[in-house]
Amino acid sequence: GAVVSQHPSRVICKSGTSVKIECRSLDFQATTMFWYRQFPKQSLMLMATSNEGSKATYEQGVEKDKFLINHASLTLSTLTVTSAHPEDSSFYICSAAMGTEDGYTFGSGTRLTVV
Amino acid sequence: QKEVEQDPGPLSVPEGAIVSLNCTYSNSAFQYFMWYRQYSRKGPELLMYTYSSGNKEDGRFTAQVDKSSKYISLFIRDSQPSDSATYLCAMKSGGSNYKLTFGKGTLLTVNP
């Protein structure tokens, strides 16, 4: 079945630094990927929709300059948290769809801790 | 009214029980329905994907969709302790570039 690989699984960084999270579709091409944020015991909150070769579409309230998304190829999308602060600490998850008639496959998530 | 309503539970059942999880929705444009299982600190795992009213079965799992009532269900037969997780319903109105709308998730514990 479809596999989405997400790295790193866990990262700790200092306040003010930037962190890059990678999301790869391993056995299929994904023209669209999605980035979510999840707080403890809450559902997933969509941050942005990443489209290959074009700018990402951000949800209302999500700072596009803080959460930089790049979808340079059909198998790779990256999320960079710039100038991270402790309030950015969260669980970030990406997902992608194989095709129109398929459900979405999720990555294993990245736990970001900003100290 | 939220687009997707899901009872957050928690739901606790004995091993071997039949579990029923439900979601209601208000947006009649939703055409594709999914159920995900999420273990703590992991990404959601797709369990079932349906796009028509009726039942779809896969092993111990049965997904049911009633578009006329805007109601979807997931049934788990012979529940196991390994089924203990949060179950999320999700739905969308279009193809692969359409975003999902999630329910809040139901926390299920299956006791041995």
Side-chain angles (χ1 to χ4, degrees), chain B residues 11-85:
Chain B
L11 182 62
S12 181
V13 301
E15 183 175 354
I18 297 175
V19 176
S20 174
L21 303 166
N22 312 295
C23 288
T24 58
Y25 61 96
S26 58
N27 189 346
S28 58
F30 288 142
Q31 296 297 320
Y32 302 90
F33 306 92
M34 284 147 271
W35 284 97
Y36 288 88
R37 175 175 63 193
Q38 186 177 24
Y39 293 112
S40 181
R41 298 173 183 266
K42 299 289 185 182
E45 173 193 5
L46 180 64
L47 292 175
M48 301 291 284
Y49 174 71
T50 60
Y51 48 85
S52 57
S53 285
N55 294 350
K56 180 178 181 180
E57 188 173 320
D58 184 0
R60 295 185 296 112
F61 300 94
T62 299
Q64 190 175 78
V65 174
D66 183 346
K67 290 187 179 180
S68 62
S69 301
K70 298 189 179 62
Y71 187 90
I72 67 171
S73 299
L74 178 70
F75 298 97
I76 307 174
R77 291 184 299 280
D78 188 25
S79 57
Q80 303 295 311
S82 59
D83 294 328
S84 299

Side-chain angles (χ1 to χ4, degrees), chain A residues 31-32 34 36 38 42-44 46 49 59 91 93 97 99-109 111, chain B residues 32 34 36 38 40-46 49 51 88 92 94-100 102-105:
Chain A
T31 56
T32 303
F34 302 88
Y36 295 84
Q38 188 176 34
Q42 293 192 24
S43 192
L44 287 79
L46 180 66
T49 302
E59 294 299 301
F91 193 54
I93 316 173
T100 302
E101 299 300 321
D102 296 299
Y104 295 160
T105 300
F106 283 79
S108 54
R111 182 157 304 281
Chain B
Y32 302 90
M34 284 147 271
Y36 288 88
Q38 186 177 24
S40 181
R41 298 173 183 266
K42 299 289 185 182
E45 173 193 5
L46 180 64
Y49 174 71
Y51 48 85
L88 297 151
K92 60 175 180 146
S96 60
N97 61 340
Y98 278 73
K99 60 184 180 183
L100 293 178
F102 282 91
K104 282 185 171 292

Side-chain angles (χ1 to χ4, degrees), chain A residues 8-25:
Chain A
S9 59
R10 183 176 297 183
V11 60
I12 300 172
C13 70
K14 291 186 177 181
S15 187
T17 62
S18 295
V19 173
K20 180 183 284 189
I21 302 170
E22 289 191 350
C23 181
R24 294 180 184 272
S25 56

Side-chain angles (χ1 to χ4, degrees), chain A residues 38-111:
Chain A
Q38 188 176 34
F39 293 102
K41 298 186 178 182
Q42 293 192 24
S43 192
L44 287 79
M45 181 189 79
L46 180 66
M47 299 175 65
T49 302
S50 169
N51 300 296
E52 188 266 337
S54 64
K55 291 184 178 180
T57 302
Y58 290 82
E59 294 299 301
Q60 191 173 8
V62 177
E63 299 177 60
K64 59 182 67 177
D65 293 331
K66 181 166 191 59
F67 299 100
L68 299 179
I69 292 173
N70 184 276
H71 196 153
S73 76
L74 287 171
T75 60
L76 174 65
S77 177
T78 60
L79 167 67
T80 302
V81 183
T82 63
S83 186
H85 292 285
E87 57 266 29
D88 298 324
S89 298
S90 192
F91 193 54
Y92 294 89
I93 316 173
C94 65
S95 75
M98 278 188 68
T100 302
E101 299 300 321
D102 296 299
Y104 295 160
T105 300
F106 283 79
S108 54
T110 298
R111 182 157 304 281

